[in-house]
Amino acid sequence: MPPRARIPATKYPVERFTLDNGLRVVLTPDRSAPVIGVAVVYDVGIRSEPEGRTGFAHLFEHLMFQGSENLEKLAHFRHVQGAGGTFNGSTHLDYTDYFETLPSNALERALFLEADRMRGPRLTEENLRNQVDVVKEEIRVNVLNRPYGGFPWLTLPPVMFDTFPNAHDGYGSFDDLESATVADAADFFRRYYASGNAVLAVSGDIDVAEATTLIERHFGDVPARPAPRRPDFAEPDLTAERRTSYTDRLAPLPAVAGAWRVPDPVTDFAGYLPYVVLAEVLTDGDASRLVERLVQRDRTVTSIGGYLGFMGDPFDVRDPTALLLQAHLPPGGDVDKVLRTIDEELDRLATDGLTEGELARTQARMATHLLRDTDAVLGRALRMAVLEQQRGEPGVLNELPRLVGEVTEEQLLAAAATLRPERRASIEVIAGGAQ
């Protein structure tokens, strides 16, 4: 029997409760340093956007920083930074988060700020038009005027999926963004930004009893609104390969990305985990299979990476999702040959199995990354908030390294055997910027 990786465990304490207005709260105290992480996660993301309003979830994230019930525009920035803290927000396929890292003596300040915008952001025509322009500029910088912009997280979903929630451009079209109204924003807030649709997580240097009192003081009177019913975003798996290409006028080299559907990461976590490990076996490090074959031996690609989730978020995404492999090729590279070689290596893995120590080495690296990502208090708060929201089990954070380490070779080979060409969606970038 091959050696198993020795995976260290974390024992972060978890306290959970729910306020009368439906807000779920997760506390994880750690008195080792006078720092706190505060995160509020709302159960709304790119997949929840209505047709004709592409990019609205991300646009609304911007609006949540433009003043709130008792605070003028830019006050949130000033109060956090004035206390020595940092803040931000981000929009994902299935949720939107808002977060701060602060000295622990600023806990009440952070709670007040988040509670105030949970009551209501300042949705004005001026704020809306200003943030539409900001988002459009972000799209220009990150997608339209950048080599490989949106590849593959924006360009591959419409190849793999058929329904609007799963396939549309989450950054949004300029036409949809420009046609957004204050009434649209107010309706989006009423529908999705309810206390019953949110999770608050606080980690770090807190006293649980004191933090509970402060949370009840600031969030307890936020008006109760129930969480909306979450739609079923399920789609059938592919039965024939889908492939397309486009020319990127700025890309200096060709590129390709392929994706295969994987089991439901929430309802079939045991079936999903082998794919998370498989992506790392294939592409993590110089000794991984596809790096060794494609980069070092064949030299048919200059780089290759593999991951779960279109935004690289294996443990905070819902179904449907996928395992992705993406590669950049040298000038004149042969995409067909690269895809054939990937298929060969997957077949070889499924048939011949792993080499000695291959799985243990990969699992140890994965455990290191998991432990590092949640060592900081903010990373812990964010991960626990999403685990609470999607699974009702924030304590799974402590179990992830062990669960990864328990994936067996048999499970891994069975997962590799499902990554067949007929189940693959792929997109090729034709280099339009090559000199």
Side-chain angles (χ1 to χ4, degrees), residues 216-285:
E216 291 172 342
R217 177 187 303 165
H218 290 284
F219 287 90
D221 63 351
V222 173
R225 299 198 311 280
R229 185 185 68 84
R230 187 175 182 275
D232 181 4
F233 297 127
E235 286 194 38
D237 196 1
L238 300 185
T239 56
E241 183 177 12
R242 295 182 181 182
R243 184 170 169 186
T244 190
S245 63
Y246 68 98
T247 299
D248 184 333
R249 63 183 177 84
L250 299 175
L253 298 171
V256 66
W260 297 260
R261 290 280 298 276
V262 295
D264 189 315
V266 176
T267 63
D268 187 13
F269 196 39
Y272 172 78
L273 275 173
Y275 291 86
V276 181
V277 180
L278 174 61
E280 302 297 317
V281 166
L282 293 173
T283 65
D284 184 35

Side-chain angles (χ1 to χ4, degrees), residues 8-263:
T10 55
K11 297 181 180 179
Y12 298 124
V14 180
E15 300 282 344
R16 302 168 64 222
F17 59 93
T18 303
L19 299 184
D20 291 342
N21 58 15
L23 177 66
R24 286 177 283 168
V25 180
V26 179
L27 304 178
T28 174
D30 177 355
R31 312 306 293 268
S32 60
V35 181
I36 55 167
V38 177
V40 178
V41 174
Y42 294 89
D43 200 342
V44 57
I46 290 169
R47 281 200 258 233
S48 301
E49 294 170 345
E51 291 194 50
R53 288 292 177 265
T54 58
F56 206 88
H58 176 233
L59 173 62
F60 198 87
E61 175 216 319
H62 280 245
L63 291 173
M64 287 285 279
F65 289 96
Q66 302 306 304
S68 53
E69 185 171 282
N70 294 294
L71 292 169
E72 72 279 10
K73 190 172 182 175
L74 302 181
H76 191 104
F77 300 57
R78 188 173 65 253
H79 285 298
V80 174
Q81 293 173 336
T86 59
F87 65 93
N88 213 331
S90 59
T91 307
H92 302 253
L93 291 178
D94 297 302
Y95 67 93
T96 307
D97 57 25
Y98 303 87
F99 47 88
E100 297 86 18
T101 301
L102 287 155
S104 53
N105 62 3
L107 171 62
E108 185 165 16
R109 180 180 301 211
L111 297 176
F112 166 76
L113 293 171
E114 290 297 349
D116 203 60
R117 62 178 165 188
M118 187 179 286
R119 292 187 184 89
R122 294 201 176 190
L123 302 177
T124 67
E125 186 67 23
E126 177 189 1
N127 284 344
L128 177 60
R129 299 275 70 87
N130 172 266
Q131 291 308 302
V132 166
D133 288 342
V134 170
V135 171
K136 287 168 61 179
E137 183 61 20
E138 188 175 327
I139 294 169
R140 292 187 189 100
V141 170
N142 291 337
V143 179
L144 300 179
N145 295 314
R146 171 179 292 187
Y148 313 103
F151 171 78
W153 76 277
L154 292 179
T155 55
L156 189 50
V159 183
M160 169 163 272
F161 298 117
D162 295 319
T163 65
F164 174 82
N166 296 320
H168 77 276
D169 181 346
Y171 246 143
S173 73
F174 281 12
D175 285 346
D176 284 355
L177 290 167
E178 289 165 354
S179 63
T181 67
V182 172
D184 292 333
D187 180 67
F188 196 82
F189 176 78
R190 281 191 299 268
R191 182 185 300 269
Y192 295 112
Y193 277 71
S195 52
N197 206 38
V199 175
L200 165 68
V202 183
S203 66
D205 185 23
I206 58 170
D207 175 84
V208 169
E210 179 186 359
T212 301
T213 298
L214 292 174
I215 290 166
E216 291 172 342
R217 177 187 303 165
H218 290 284
F219 287 90
D221 63 351
V222 173
R225 299 198 311 280
R229 185 185 68 84
R230 187 175 182 275
D232 181 4
F233 297 127
E235 286 194 38
D237 196 1
L238 300 185
T239 56
E241 183 177 12
R242 295 182 181 182
R243 184 170 169 186
T244 190
S245 63
Y246 68 98
T247 299
D248 184 333
R249 63 183 177 84
L250 299 175
L253 298 171
V256 66
W260 297 260
R261 290 280 298 276
V262 295

Side-chain angles (χ1 to χ4, degrees), residues 47 94 230 261-276 308-309 313-322 387 390-391 393 396 400 403:
R47 281 200 258 233
D94 297 302
R230 187 175 182 275
R261 290 280 298 276
V262 295
D264 189 315
V266 176
T267 63
D268 187 13
F269 196 39
Y272 172 78
L273 275 173
Y275 291 86
V276 181
L308 272 289
D313 43 9
F315 300 118
D316 53 6
V317 67
R318 292 186 174 113
D319 192 64
T321 189
L387 289 171
Q390 297 183 353
R391 303 169 184 273
E393 297 181 276
V396 168
L400 286 177
L403 292 170

